[in-house]
Amino acid sequence: VGDPQSLVDVFAEIPGGNSFSGFSHPDFLDYRERNEALEDMAAFTARSLPLGTDGRGELVRVQFSSTHYFDLIEVQARTGRTFLAEDGARGSGGAVAVVSQGFWQRRTGSDPSFVGKTLVLNETPFTVIGIAPPGFEGTFIGFPMEVWVPLAAGERVIENFDLSDRASTDLEMIGRLRPDMSVARAQAGFDRIVRELEQEYPLEGQARGLGVAPTTGVDHSMRSGVTAFLAALMVTTGLVLLITCLNVGNMLLARAAGRGKEMAIRRAMGAGRARLVNQLMTEVVVLFAAGAFVGFWVAQQANQALIRLVAASDLPLGFTLPLDWRVLSFTAAVALIAALVAGVFPAREALRNHPVHAMRAGATPDNTQRRWRDGFVVVQIAGTVVLLAGSGLFVRSLREGLSVDPGFDADRVAVTTVTLPQADYDAGRGLVFYRELIERAKDVPGVGSAALATGRPIGVSVNPTRIEVPGFDAPNDNDVWADANRVDAHYFDTVGISILRGRAFEPADDAGPPLVIVNETMARLYWSGEDPVGATFIADGERVRVVGVARDSRTLIQDPSPAPLMYLLLPQTYQARFQLLIRSEGDPLELRAPIQEVLNRLDATLPPIDLTTPRETMNDSLLPQRVAASVTSVLGGLALLLAVLGIYGVVSHSVSRRTKELGRRMAIGGSASDVVRLVMFSGLRLFGLGAFIGGVAALGLTPLAGRFLLGVPPSDPVTLVGVLVTFLAVAALASFIPARRATAIDPTTTLRFD
């Protein structure tokens, strides 16, 4: 998009809500006309619609946009044009479409004559007027759009979509700030407009609060989590880079000690310090450049593995993860800086001794180099402990997430979405379809029960509904909200949610007064622990009576804590789009074919179904934990290897420097076990100091990853102790090998040279 820094998302402020809806078209027009902070605004909504005329074609993601959407975000068509104002006239029906380049290439093989042809969406023809530019797939990262049509078309292809209804909440909004405006000033201006609209057009049971935030391609409800996740990965990578630099610096220090005489001879022959520093730093830069080139290749392979990991998820994620020139330039700059940082201290140490002292027979480096090397190893160990602690937490969290109990039967229930064509089904015919579908589904062999609902048992969004509970006063006179799901009488038995008090819905309730079942959290929050069965309250402007209290269940993938939830009767309010739930004592996914046959017999024009279980949905939602566990495990293992090599190198170097001392000890009666203990102590001493620092740092840093952990506390003692014990065992082995080699020293040979 053009000038993305000035784009802002305008979203409805609903507790637990997101930006995927929230506004009506009349309100959008008022916001657009009255605000003074934005140059312009656009409204849009998205749906998945079938291609073709029979309703059974491939589903494509379609965005219904106000006609100035492309002008607002400054996106021009690759071929053809985008929308004109007349395309959005309600009388015209908005029968034009812009398609993405990916859709054009995939569906037509890059047919150059595609512009001007007809594209049929949900049995409705559209004339293709343009192809979007390469790389543009909408303004929401990870959920690419394939087709854009004017908002006016929504009234023809979306059920109950009415652009004149001020009470609807179908639309999202985006705007562009004026050059002299800030987000805060825009927010203040919209707050004023909200108050004006509430006075001019009061809506029963509905509030108009909104928020303004910079457009980043990530929904405001997920932004902090995504940012924290990426920051955690960057910190992890930075720690590994630091450990690597320290490890290389340690080896360069050892190499500098061995080249002391060489440097002394060069200086004695007239080489200046600057020339020697240039030589040493050039060697280091060449070393890091070679590593960087290898790293680029590894990055490409790892990138493909990450793409496969994302693609393996059933979630409709459309991420592209190219290693473009900016990424490679950044990496090259990091490699150069790392080379300079890692090489400066060894270069300094190589030149700090006087040439006469360095060339003197038997001369050895002073203790400064040893202290530097010991310090490097201690920091490596500390960083590795932090990385391994984080990796252990992510791995344990992933394991807990895979076995979490959501409060219902997530393994024996399969769910699929069914959408009845608006043109073919009114409320009466749709309710008949409900009943016939349930009766025929229950007769399928292997089906224990079947149910209908508007929402899945667990998902990524909620359906916030304003309520008024007698006797409950919200703090600061705020509106009171609860999530809502409309279900039929078979829902609780099918999903496996128990009724704790009162009763479940019964088929006879469909024709009766509005009833509701609330979950434990809602009963506890709004009725102060008293039994709400029999109580009445207002839900979405309608008085309902509580007949039961259901067990709490997890409804949001991203939030394990139960939220207030109420269940309303689906048959009392017809919905063309609903969820069919099937319970089986075997594998419910094996019922796909017979359930598809049932739907075909009822209406052969409906698109094919895609059965999934709530457990699959929950496991797919663990993608951040999978990525974090995979990346931190690999990087943690690499850091452990580097730290162990650092310990091994320091101890080996110490043995080589102390050859005469160890030979004397053995000559005067010291045993091999004494030498082993003496040498190992030097390595384990460094480990102990580094482990202590790393443990304290881990206790301070791991809480930052708390929002990604499921069922595991950030300061989990089991994980930290396991890391320290494992690291201690490996460090002991790294110290034992050179210690054991030290026992092979021949005291006679050592004393002869002395």
Side-chain angles (χ1 to χ4, degrees), residues 561-576:
S561 58
L565 171 64
M566 57 184 176
Y567 302 91
L568 303 166
L569 276 164
L570 172 61
Q572 293 184 344
T573 304
Y574 170 67
Q575 301 282 338

Side-chain angles (χ1 to χ4, degrees), residues 224-236 239 386 389-390 393-394 625 628 696-709 712-716:
S224 61
V226 171
T227 303
F229 173 68
L230 296 177
L233 293 185
M234 285 296 290
V235 168
T236 300
L239 276 175
V386 174
L393 288 173
F394 280 125
Q625 283 78 11
V696 173
L699 292 175
L701 293 176
T702 49
L704 300 178
R707 66 183 307 141
F708 307 114
L709 302 179
V712 180
S715 302
D716 180 37

